[in-house]
Amino acid sequence: MTGADIVIGGVDNKGTYFTDRHALGNSMPVVDQKQNYKLLSLSESDGKTVMKFQRSIESCDENDLPVTILPMKLIYAYGETDDISYHKAQRGTKEVNLLKYMPRASLSNATYFDITMENFMLPANQTYYHCKTARAPTFDSKQHIYRIEPVITNYDLVHHLLLYRCPPTVTEPLELECYTKTERCMETIAVWGVGGGDFEFPEVAGLPIGGNVGDFFYRLEVHYNNVNKTAGRVDSSGLRFYYTSKLRQHDAGILMTGLAVIPSYAIPPKAKSFLTYGMCDTTYIPKVLETANDLQVFSVMMHTHLAGRKVRVGHFREGKQIDLLAVDENYNFEFQQVTNLGKTKTVKLGDKLLVECTYNTENRNTLTQGGLSTSDEMCLAFLFYYPAMNLSGCESLPHFSSLVSEMGAGDTGTWLYMMNTMAWNDSSINEYQQTLKKINQTVIVVNSFNKASITNGTIPDLKVSPPEPCVRACATKNLAFMSLFLCLAVCGS
């Protein structure tokens, strides 16, 4: 919680208490000299405390975090008494956009279907990907999926879930270990990660099912992270899809962007802050589609593994950075959520998107490869957008022969030997990172039918814009206020 902007409140035998604080470390949060949060209501009954409060978006207080248009993490902790002490496991987090939180739809005829594993018995493997290809329920007419919820049997085993739509060439059900044969179903339509909850689409868009897409098969991928390699565990995890016949304005889609997941790059050990890059150049989308449109991006899920610390998605147009499409400066592997961007952002055909991931490997003594295992690494951003196109992925990876040559190795074997025997220190780590940044990238755009465009490109410079300075007169500005509602399940004092 270091650096967090905090309020602490409750009800004791003297009445209510409420203070504006900030955290300097894993210790009692310090009371702010300037109390900018205003308590609106605070009550306790039936073992629950409900606290409602507000604060101006810009408080002009160095101990208060500015509220921006980017998603922010709300963290909370609670105790069973009014003695403030270490909360232990009584804590949680939720990533939201405070300026435009996406509301939930209230439909009277809420209907759903599930796509899950069925009593699958896990092998005693630490990392195991299991795939099930099946037909979804059929509908006479087109429907829109508006909410997706995880159905998790074993939270200690399930690392992530992905659902892919298959091309028409897939016509038979199949269940086997993933990636043991050529995968043909690669168009992502749903994604869930550790710590995530349900996700709801905005009112203007929904995932299409039924009608002309009713005969498609779908592939459910479950990544099991069986740390203790326990045999005989049974799992029936998957996803629940709420749908409606009241169609939204647009069909929604999901585009996987970032660094291609293959072991042709490596993250060195002993690195405090190592960067990798994956680029999507939308110039080449029309190369694989008959009809291509600009992307209206409304949500994103960013994904790395255990070494990931930050993820940024830069947006470039005509060679210049115009935005940070999405950013997570405090990435937490245990809390991976699809996050509303707060507003729809237009990615025009011809724009470039750069996914930058920051890793910390100070506690590792060997190389970390790009790959599927939880101990390997990834650098991905799943973009939720409309109108949907038949797109599967838009990614890149370092041009491998250029990387080998630039490092002075004559072949792959020599390069691998160099990487594994390198004396990794700040100097060698920085040199390797600069090499990865300057060499060509292999840029890959793939459509739903696995038609690919493969070209070369270079990594642009990504800049993180500093927050706007707080003006002295902000106390008199006509500022909006935000209200935060925390309903904390605590025992009454």
Side-chain angles (χ1 to χ4, degrees), residues 226-440:
N226 189 356
V227 177
N228 297 320
K229 301 182 180 179
T230 306
R233 295 284 298 274
V234 176
D235 187 76
S236 298
S237 297
L239 294 165
R240 175 166 294 170
F241 300 89
Y242 290 83
Y243 63 93
T244 177
S245 58
K246 187 177 180 180
L247 299 182
R248 272 100 188 277
Q249 183 179 354
H250 299 287
D251 289 344
I254 301 175
L255 178 62
M256 183 168 66
T257 64
L259 185 55
V261 185
I262 56 175
S264 65
Y265 64 93
I267 301 167
K270 312 297 183 184
K272 297 178 182 178
S273 181
F274 188 83
L275 305 179
T276 64
Y277 307 92
M279 183 172 65
C280 168
D281 191 340
T282 64
T283 302
Y284 302 105
I285 289 179
K287 300 288 185 182
V288 300
L289 296 178
E290 292 183 3
T291 303
N293 307 298
D294 295 342
L295 289 81
Q296 307 299 325
V297 181
F298 55 86
S299 293
V300 64
M301 177 179 171
M302 295 177 280
H303 180 68
T304 78
H305 286 174
L306 295 171
R309 297 295 182 269
K310 298 180 182 182
V311 184
R312 299 166 178 160
V313 184
H315 186 184
F316 297 81
R317 181 171 296 158
E318 297 179 354
K320 296 181 180 180
Q321 182 178 343
I322 62 170
D323 191 14
L324 278 175
L325 189 73
V327 60
D328 190 339
E329 297 289 326
N330 300 283
Y331 181 83
N332 188 331
F333 174 82
E334 298 295 335
F335 297 101
Q336 302 180 40
Q337 303 177 77
V338 181
T339 305
N340 173 30
L341 296 180
K343 65 177 181 180
T344 301
K345 298 186 177 184
T346 301
V347 177
K348 294 184 177 181
L349 292 177
D351 290 356
K352 292 181 180 180
L353 301 173
L354 181 67
V355 183
E356 176 195 87
C357 293
T358 303
Y359 305 95
N360 181 293
T361 59
E362 286 182 285
N363 297 325
R364 300 190 181 189
N365 297 314
T366 58
L367 294 174
T368 300
Q369 300 286 345
L372 298 174
S373 172
T374 306
S375 58
D376 295 333
E377 269 307 334
M378 296 184 179
C379 180
L380 298 172
F382 295 88
L383 308 182
F384 290 65
Y385 73 97
Y386 63 81
M389 295 182 281
N390 291 320
L391 273 180
S392 171
C394 184
E395 306 165 287
S396 77
L397 66 154
H399 191 269
F400 190 62
S401 61
S402 298
L403 176 61
V404 171
S405 175
E406 190 70 27
M407 293 187 68
D411 52 53
T412 302
T414 304
W415 177 79
L416 287 171
Y417 179 79
M418 287 176 57
M419 293 292 289
N420 283 290
T421 58
M422 182 85 69
W424 292 108
N425 52 41
D426 289 348
S427 177
S428 57
I429 290 171
N430 182 65
E431 184 178 353
Y432 174 54
Q433 182 172 288
Q434 294 305 315
T435 299
L436 283 176
K437 175 77 183 302
K438 71 180 180 181
I439 64 172
N440 277 345

Side-chain angles (χ1 to χ4, degrees), residues 78-318:
Y78 55 92
E80 297 182 355
T81 73
D82 292 292
D83 295 324
I84 310 301
S85 60
Y86 180 49
H87 46 70
K88 298 182 180 179
Q90 298 174 147
R91 61 184 178 184
T93 185
K94 179 71 175 178
E95 189 167 6
V96 299
N97 191 303
L98 292 170
L99 299 186
K100 192 175 181 182
Y101 185 69
M102 192 178 294
R104 292 174 64 92
S106 298
L107 299 181
S108 57
N109 59 339
T111 50
Y112 64 85
F113 64 89
D114 294 343
I115 298 180
T116 65
M117 297 299 172
E118 294 182 12
N119 298 318
F120 170 64
M121 185 173 291
L122 274 71
N125 297 13
Q126 179 173 338
T127 295
Y128 187 83
Y129 282 70
H130 196 65
C131 282
K132 176 183 177 180
T133 302
R135 193 191 301 272
T138 56
F139 300 94
D140 293 335
S141 60
K142 179 179 174 181
Q143 310 285 313
H144 263 154
I145 293 169
Y146 64 91
R147 183 186 302 151
I148 303 174
E149 293 181 354
V151 180
I152 308 299
T153 307
N154 299 288
Y155 277 96
D156 62 321
L157 294 175
V158 180
H159 171 274
H160 75 242
L161 303 168
L162 284 166
L163 188 71
Y164 303 93
R165 183 181 288 122
C166 302
T169 53
V170 176
T171 58
E172 298 292 336
L174 184 65
E175 188 167 345
L176 76 169
E177 181 180 357
C178 305
Y179 307 109
T180 53
K181 58 183 294 185
T182 301
E183 298 290 357
R184 291 183 288 168
C185 312
M186 295 302 294
E187 181 187 0
T188 306
I189 68 162
V191 57
W192 175 89
V194 172
D198 61 339
F199 171 74
E200 188 152 318
F201 289 84
E203 294 179 351
V204 297
L207 279 176
I209 193 167
N212 61 352
V213 294
D215 293 331
F216 283 73
F217 276 71
Y218 295 82
R219 177 169 69 92
L220 175 65
E221 172 186 304
V222 183
H223 174 188
Y224 293 103
N225 186 32
N226 189 356
V227 177
N228 297 320
K229 301 182 180 179
T230 306
R233 295 284 298 274
V234 176
D235 187 76
S236 298
S237 297
L239 294 165
R240 175 166 294 170
F241 300 89
Y242 290 83
Y243 63 93
T244 177
S245 58
K246 187 177 180 180
L247 299 182
R248 272 100 188 277
Q249 183 179 354
H250 299 287
D251 289 344
I254 301 175
L255 178 62
M256 183 168 66
T257 64
L259 185 55
V261 185
I262 56 175
S264 65
Y265 64 93
I267 301 167
K270 312 297 183 184
K272 297 178 182 178
S273 181
F274 188 83
L275 305 179
T276 64
Y277 307 92
M279 183 172 65
C280 168
D281 191 340
T282 64
T283 302
Y284 302 105
I285 289 179
K287 300 288 185 182
V288 300
L289 296 178
E290 292 183 3
T291 303
N293 307 298
D294 295 342
L295 289 81
Q296 307 299 325
V297 181
F298 55 86
S299 293
V300 64
M301 177 179 171
M302 295 177 280
H303 180 68
T304 78
H305 286 174
L306 295 171
R309 297 295 182 269
K310 298 180 182 182
V311 184
R312 299 166 178 160
V313 184
H315 186 184
F316 297 81
R317 181 171 296 158
E318 297 179 354

